């Protein structure tokens, strides 16, 4: 049997057993998102490697049931933390303005499509609840505020309230009173993931909302 044999050609060279391999998705959006995952992180997070999907390379082993890289593998990658990846894949690109857009635009575009077509959208969304998925506008020097935001911890604002000075709100972010999306991510999701962002984040926060969040934080 070939199922346990190292017979599948890998991207970058080498061979591995079918059970240790993943195919990149056939869907164009999902395939583009899969390119964001460093091979070494995929291996650490799931114990798998990307197979070389060319017809020439995979021809002899196409019937061995190699899994396609999908949502459950993304959850493993997004959840993974180690000394090399202390803030995971999201944290590794959050503060890099030159690469943030190139990462977050295809990532959130894929995630929007995934949720739209999910058979059980509620369960799929629930699986995102505990993930540190959204980089924060709080400066890195702010020790009282998380760098990455989770949906389960309360409302996340897409941007600062337009009726209040940004500098005040930045200070509130630094203390953890406000949770606001990092500007590099805002620019990346303006096209391609509008419905996802409008469903998960507060797009136009009011003065009253900001005041209420600050009051909740002060009482906590």
């Amino acid at each position: 049997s070939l199922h346990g044999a190292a017979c599948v050609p890998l991207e970058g060279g080498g061979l591995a057993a079918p059970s240790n391999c993943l195919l990149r998705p056939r869907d164009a959006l999902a395939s583009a998102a899969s390119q964001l995952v460093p091979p070494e992180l995929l291996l650490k997070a799931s114990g798998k490697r990307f197979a070389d999907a060319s017809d020439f390379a995979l021809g002899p082993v196409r019937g061995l049931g190699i899994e396609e890289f999908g949502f459950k593998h993304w959850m493993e990658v997004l959840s993974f933390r180690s000394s090399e990846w202390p803030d995971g894949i999201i944290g590794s690109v959050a503060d890099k303005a030159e690469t943030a857009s190139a990462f977050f635009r295809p990532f959130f575009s894929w995630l929007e499509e995934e949720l739209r077509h999910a058979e059980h959208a509620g369960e799929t969304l629930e699986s995102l609840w505990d993930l540190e998925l959204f980089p924060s506008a709080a400066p890195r020097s702010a020790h009282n505020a998380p760098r990455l935001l989770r949906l389960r911890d309360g409302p996340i604002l897409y941007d600062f309230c337009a009726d209040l000075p940004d500098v005040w709100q930045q200070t509130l972010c630094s203390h953890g009173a406000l949770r606001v999306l990092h500007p590099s991510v805002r620019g990346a999701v303006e096209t391609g993931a509008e419905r996802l962002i409008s469903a998960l984040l507060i797009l136009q926060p009011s003065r009253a909302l900001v005041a209420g969040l600050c009051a909740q934080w002060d009482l906590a």
Side-chain angles (χ1 to χ4, degrees):
S1 171
L2 292 176
H3 283 84
C7 60
V8 179
L10 302 171
E11 291 182 356
L15 298 169
S19 59
N20 295 329
C21 296
L22 292 170
L23 292 173
R24 292 195 185 274
R26 287 165 288 185
D27 174 78
L29 203 59
S31 180
S34 76
Q35 299 290 337
L36 303 171
V37 180
E40 65 274 14
L41 177 56
L42 177 65
L43 181 61
K44 290 177 180 293
S46 67
K48 298 183 184 292
R49 305 171 188 265
F50 284 118
D52 182 345
S54 67
D55 288 337
F56 175 78
L58 269 189
V61 293
R62 278 200 177 275
L64 296 182
I66 302 172
E67 271 191 290
E68 188 174 282
F69 182 78
F71 186 81
K72 70 175 183 178
H73 306 108
W74 259 116
M75 294 303 100
E76 292 172 343
V77 168
L78 291 167
S79 302
F80 183 79
R81 299 290 185 274
S82 71
S83 58
E84 296 176 35
W85 299 87
D87 295 312
I89 189 172
I90 298 291
S92 72
V93 295
D95 298 317
K96 300 174 183 175
E98 68 280 5
T99 58
S101 180
F103 179 91
F104 288 111
R105 181 172 289 113
F107 172 71
F108 281 116
S109 295
W110 161 79
L111 187 56
E112 177 172 294
E113 284 297 300
E114 190 72 20
L115 285 168
R116 185 187 303 171
H117 297 295
E119 185 176 350
H120 303 288
E123 293 179 10
T124 302
L125 182 59
E126 187 177 349
S127 66
L128 302 175
W129 220 241
D130 291 329
L131 293 179
E132 294 175 320
L133 207 55
F134 300 96
S136 170
R140 292 207 65 175
S141 58
H143 299 298
N144 295 325
R147 286 189 60 227
L148 302 174
L149 306 175
R150 303 184 302 180
L151 291 168
R152 68 166 296 171
D153 293 328
I156 301 174
L157 312 186
Y158 179 75
D159 201 351
F160 293 125
C161 171
D163 297 327
L164 294 170
D166 284 3
V167 65
W168 291 3
Q169 296 176 84
Q170 187 71 59
T171 300
L172 291 169
C173 283
S174 299
H175 289 283
L178 284 185
R179 293 151 38 83
V180 181
L181 190 65
H182 195 285
S184 66
V185 185
R186 291 200 295 268
V189 299
E190 286 175 352
T191 57
E194 301 94 330
R195 278 178 286 191
L196 173 71
I197 295 302
S198 64
L200 299 182
L201 277 58
I202 298 174
L203 295 185
Q204 296 179 318
S206 65
R207 294 167 64 109
L209 175 68
V210 171
L213 292 174
C214 291
Q216 290 178 19
W217 170 79
D218 190 46
L219 292 173

